[in-house]
Amino acid sequence: NAYRFAAPSTLNDETAYWKLDENTGSATRVDSGPNGQDLTPFLNAQTSTNGIISFACNYPSGSAAFSSRVDSTTLSCGDIDFTLAAWIMLYDTVTRAIVCKGSLGSAAIREYDIISVSGQFFFTVSNGVTSDNVAWSGGASSLNVWHYVVGWHDAAANLIWIQVDNGTPVSAAHSGGCNDGTGVFAIGKAGDGFQFEGAVDEVGFWKRTLTSGERT
């Protein structure tokens, strides 16, 4: 299960959770949740760096490395509540796909993702026809510094949200739920590129929204 430390017990109901503590590029990124959603590494250029808890996965400049899993019902969504969270360190301000299911280039194959554009974090959900995103209101984030990013979809309210570093959450309208496509789930890039250069740690996925206290 995910790490347990002075946190509400409900946080142990994760759908998937990747600690990213593996210390070699060739190692499988193990899902410590209950559903066995391990990620297979592509290229061994991803390395380890000091993380928020133990190690983190490092994607150095020019590595083209990522870890992924083929489409699964566990990581797919429809018109449901879900939450995606990760600790992220940016190395530059280029457009980067950090955690992504599907591809960025088309709403028909995009599903959900956390990306950075000009150093600003975005959470995106596509219903298969229209992709809507919500940008973190703080603008560009500091480079080479850890940031905690949480994005979630509220199906009943038709809203998507983003929160960074426990700041005030920001919302945007989104209807039609999440496209349940066949795209891969990946940490480190999207299906159509947008290679990430930075570090990622403690990636969690829940098929519900977290409370304010749980996010804190």
Side-chain angles (χ1 to χ4, degrees):
N1 286 330
Y3 293 99
R4 295 179 170 90
F5 53 97
S9 61
T10 52
L11 277 176
N12 296 318
D13 68 350
E14 69 279 355
T15 301
Y17 195 98
W18 300 273
K19 298 178 182 181
L20 303 179
D21 285 346
E22 295 79 13
N23 60 9
T24 64
S26 60
T28 296
R29 270 50 186 170
V30 175
D31 171 21
S32 62
N35 296 306
Q37 301 298 293
D38 296 350
L39 306 179
T40 300
F42 177 78
L43 298 180
N44 297 341
Q46 55 191 332
T47 58
S48 292
T49 188
N50 291 328
I52 291 296
I53 300 176
S54 188
F55 294 111
C57 200
N58 179 53
Y59 300 89
S61 175
S63 72
F66 62 95
S67 295
S68 66
R69 184 176 183 86
V70 297
D71 178 47
S72 74
T73 56
T74 300
L75 300 178
S76 296
C77 300
D79 198 1
I80 63 169
D81 292 347
F82 67 92
T83 302
L84 181 64
W87 284 92
I88 300 166
M89 181 185 291
L90 302 177
Y91 292 165
D92 60 28
T93 58
V94 177
T95 297
R96 304 290 189 188
I98 305 165
V99 184
C100 180
K101 189 162 191 313
S103 300
L104 305 191
S106 167
I109 53 177
R110 197 170 191 168
E111 298 182 44
Y112 57 83
D113 52 70
I114 293 174
I115 66 172
S116 64
V117 180
S118 299
Q120 184 175 24
F121 292 112
F122 287 75
F123 176 61
T124 308
V125 178
S126 173
N127 60 20
V129 177
T130 302
S131 294
D132 291 309
N133 61 56
V134 57
W136 176 239
S137 60
S141 298
S142 299
L143 301 182
N144 302 300
V145 173
W146 284 109
H147 297 282
Y148 187 57
V149 183
V150 187
W152 66 98
H153 173 246
D154 185 330
N158 286 324
L159 291 172
I160 54 175
W161 294 81
I162 192 170
Q163 182 183 33
V164 176
D165 296 336
N166 203 34
T168 301
V170 182
S171 67
H174 175 74
S175 60
C178 182
N179 178 28
D180 184 359
T182 59
V184 300
F185 178 92
I187 299 176
K189 71 181 289 289
D192 53 351
F194 300 95
Q195 176 70 40
F196 181 56
E197 295 185 1
V200 185
D201 200 12
E202 308 299 321
V203 178
F205 179 67
W206 293 260
K207 285 191 172 177
R208 67 177 181 90
T209 58
L210 304 183
T211 67
S212 175
E214 288 170 338
R215 295 194 306 272
T216 299

